[in-house]
Short mmCIF file of all heavy atoms in Angstrom, two decimals:
data_model
loop_
_atom_site.label_atom_id
_atom_site.label_comp_id
_atom_site.label_asym_id
_atom_site.label_seq_id
_atom_site.Cartn_x
_atom_site.Cartn_y
_atom_site.Cartn_z
N GLU A 28 111.11 95.33 121.70
CA GLU A 28 110.53 94.76 122.92
C GLU A 28 109.14 95.33 123.19
O GLU A 28 108.90 96.51 122.93
CB GLU A 28 111.43 95.06 124.12
CG GLU A 28 112.80 94.43 124.07
CD GLU A 28 113.63 94.78 125.30
OE1 GLU A 28 113.03 95.15 126.32
OE2 GLU A 28 114.87 94.69 125.22
N PRO A 29 108.22 94.54 123.72
CA PRO A 29 106.94 95.10 124.16
C PRO A 29 107.15 96.13 125.27
O PRO A 29 108.04 95.95 126.12
CB PRO A 29 106.18 93.87 124.68
CG PRO A 29 106.82 92.71 124.01
CD PRO A 29 108.27 93.08 123.85
N LEU A 30 106.36 97.17 125.25
CA LEU A 30 106.53 98.25 126.22
C LEU A 30 106.43 97.74 127.65
O LEU A 30 107.26 98.08 128.50
CB LEU A 30 105.47 99.33 125.97
CG LEU A 30 105.50 100.55 126.90
CD1 LEU A 30 106.80 101.32 126.72
CD2 LEU A 30 104.30 101.46 126.62
N GLU A 31 105.43 96.92 127.94
CA GLU A 31 105.25 96.44 129.31
C GLU A 31 106.40 95.53 129.74
O GLU A 31 106.82 95.55 130.89
CB GLU A 31 103.92 95.69 129.44
CG GLU A 31 102.70 96.50 129.04
CD GLU A 31 102.55 97.77 129.86
OE1 GLU A 31 102.87 97.74 131.07
OE2 GLU A 31 102.11 98.78 129.29
N GLN A 32 106.93 94.76 128.80
CA GLN A 32 108.04 93.87 129.11
C GLN A 32 109.31 94.66 129.41
O GLN A 32 110.13 94.27 130.25
CB GLN A 32 108.29 92.93 127.93
CG GLN A 32 109.44 91.96 128.11
CD GLN A 32 109.60 91.06 126.90
OE1 GLN A 32 108.66 90.40 126.46
NE2 GLN A 32 110.81 91.05 126.34
N ALA A 33 109.49 95.80 128.74
CA ALA A 33 110.69 96.61 128.92
C ALA A 33 110.62 97.50 130.16
O ALA A 33 111.64 98.06 130.58
CB ALA A 33 110.91 97.50 127.69
N LEU A 34 109.45 97.62 130.77
CA LEU A 34 109.24 98.61 131.82
C LEU A 34 110.15 98.39 133.04
O LEU A 34 110.73 99.36 133.55
CB LEU A 34 107.77 98.60 132.24
CG LEU A 34 107.32 99.68 133.22
CD1 LEU A 34 107.53 101.06 132.62
CD2 LEU A 34 105.86 99.49 133.60
N THR A 35 110.29 97.17 133.49
CA THR A 35 111.06 96.91 134.72
C THR A 35 112.50 97.36 134.57
O THR A 35 113.05 98.08 135.42
CB THR A 35 110.98 95.43 135.09
OG1 THR A 35 109.62 95.07 135.33
CG2 THR A 35 111.79 95.15 136.34
N ALA A 36 113.15 96.92 133.49
CA ALA A 36 114.56 97.26 133.30
C ALA A 36 114.74 98.75 133.02
O ALA A 36 115.67 99.38 133.53
CB ALA A 36 115.15 96.44 132.16
N ALA A 37 113.85 99.33 132.23
CA ALA A 37 114.00 100.73 131.83
C ALA A 37 113.79 101.69 132.99
O ALA A 37 114.33 102.80 132.99
CB ALA A 37 113.05 101.06 130.69
N THR A 38 112.99 101.29 133.97
CA THR A 38 112.68 102.19 135.09
C THR A 38 113.39 101.79 136.38
O THR A 38 112.98 102.21 137.46
CB THR A 38 111.16 102.24 135.34
OG1 THR A 38 110.69 100.92 135.62
CG2 THR A 38 110.42 102.78 134.13
N ARG A 39 114.44 100.99 136.25
CA ARG A 39 115.18 100.59 137.45
C ARG A 39 115.72 101.84 138.15
O ARG A 39 116.35 102.70 137.54
CB ARG A 39 116.33 99.66 137.07
CG ARG A 39 117.02 99.03 138.28
CD ARG A 39 117.95 97.90 137.86
NE ARG A 39 117.19 96.73 137.43
CZ ARG A 39 117.27 96.20 136.21
NH1 ARG A 39 118.05 96.75 135.29
NH2 ARG A 39 116.56 95.13 135.89
N GLY A 40 115.45 101.95 139.44
CA GLY A 40 115.86 103.13 140.20
C GLY A 40 114.87 104.27 140.15
O GLY A 40 115.06 105.29 140.82
#
Side-chain angles (χ1 to χ4, degrees):
E28 295 180 22
L30 180 64
E31 303 301 324
Q32 179 179 306
L34 187 61
T35 299
T38 58
R39 189 168 288 120

